[in-house]
Amino acid sequence: MLGTWAATGPAQAAPPENPATAGARPASGAPASAGLIEAMQRDLGLTEHQALARIEAEKKATALQDTAREAAGAAYGGSWFDAAEGRLTVAVTDRASARAVTATGAAVRLVERTSRQLDAAKARIDGLTAPSGVAGWHADPRTNSVVVAIVTAERTDNDVRAFVDQARKTGPVTVREVAEAPRTFAAGTVGGDPYYTGNVRCSIGFSVHGGFVTAGHCGRAGDAVRGWDGSAIGNFQGSSFPDNDYAWVNVGSGWWTVPVVLGWGTVSDQLVRGSAEAPVGASVCRSGSTTHWHCGNVLAKNETVNYSQGAVHQMTKTSVCAEPGDSGGSFISGDQAQGVTSGGWGNCGSGGETWHQPVNEILNRYGLTLHTA
């Protein structure tokens, strides 16, 4: 592999003469690199102008989220970015709150249930034992219900039916079918890839001061980590999986951190300038050591994903594809870090969905500071 940085994300830099560092950098303050724009055009079917306009609209929506939620008060039913309208939409349960939210500049939709009610229903489902035919579930502001995803081939399975029946007793439930069950995206050792622990290959997520963050299923605390060239990087300092899917690795042995998401020598590298969380509906792109750059949309937040190893909570669901070896890699929206790749279903040939562990949760859990440009 061309070793621009020590792995798929911006976390570690290999020696600067490495050829993949040659990609052009965006100008300071630029909304996104040329590579990210190209990936959005390819994966979202946008023109360059549309991609740039969408990034700007999403940035405004992200900045407006907290103000709009405060205006909604107890009537808040969730929010999302409406790509067709190019603005933030906020669900509320009464007309007085709708007027207050409209005054902030957001669009409004009247619904029956608050976000708190949906979250409570989801929490009750979290207490159930899910069979393998259930892919996951999340509170969805757009349907104003808890969406439970089941694998199409197992929709008639008695255990799946029983789970759905139990879920419906907790509150409003919408059932959706998916093609496959989710899985993590770690891979066996393959020469020339970004980082290894034992016989597993994964991808670096984001640089933090003193190391990088990645997926928890890639290694346990104390496991040694080697870079793309086989040299020692450091060790897993903390790791959690299942329940969560996050970890962080310290940096040493001549490796260092950079606030960059790797472009793989074919697109420009992307600078990381913060970690403002993009709303549901916003575009998001992923960099990983197997499939490199791919983009899609944020589909849901706070989803419980039912892997074969156990449930993982508070995940963000996206329409971005991924494949084995992409685990731990970077999810970024514009120049804002979003999370590290956990798992999903499908591939980048036929499509699929991928979940990421939100980066701010990882930073808060371990008291880390994101390395930004």
Side-chain angles (χ1 to χ4, degrees), residues 215-235:
H217 70 263
C218 292
R220 296 177 295 182
D223 285 351
V225 173
R226 307 185 310 281
W228 65 272
D229 60 353
S231 66
I233 293 178
N235 300 84

Side-chain angles (χ1 to χ4, degrees), residues 129-137 148-164 175-182 303-308 345 355:
T129 300
S132 60
V134 176
W137 51 93
V148 175
I150 63 173
V151 179
T152 298
E154 299 188 50
R155 62 187 172 187
T156 59
D157 179 82
N158 289 336
D159 290 338
V160 171
R161 286 180 168 181
F163 181 88
V164 171
V175 176
R176 288 182 179 163
E177 294 183 12
V178 296
E180 301 175 31
E303 176 148 6
T304 299
V305 182
N306 190 36
Y307 293 130
S308 62
W345 62 268
W355 286 263

Side-chain angles (χ1 to χ4, degrees), residues 71 142 209 306:
R142 290 166 293 190
H209 291 285
N306 190 36

Side-chain angles (χ1 to χ4, degrees), residues 271-297:
L271 293 176
V272 178
R273 293 192 171 97
S275 59
E277 186 177 336
V280 169
S283 63
V284 67
C285 296
R286 180 193 54 72
S287 180
S289 62
T290 300
T291 57
H292 303 174
W293 274 106
H294 285 276
C295 298
N297 299 310

Side-chain angles (χ1 to χ4, degrees), residues 17 63 66-67 226 288 325 371:
E17 66 271 19
D66 290 345
T67 300
R226 307 185 310 281
H371 191 170

Side-chain angles (χ1 to χ4, degrees), residues 68-76 90-104 108-111:
R69 179 167 188 160
E70 184 176 346
Y76 179 72
V90 179
V92 296
T93 57
D94 64 61
R95 295 188 181 278
S97 297
R99 290 190 291 271
V101 171
T102 299
T104 70
V108 173
R109 181 183 295 178
L110 286 170
V111 296

Side-chain angles (χ1 to χ4, degrees), residues 13-33:
E17 66 271 19
N18 227 304
T21 59
R25 301 291 193 271
S28 178
S33 72

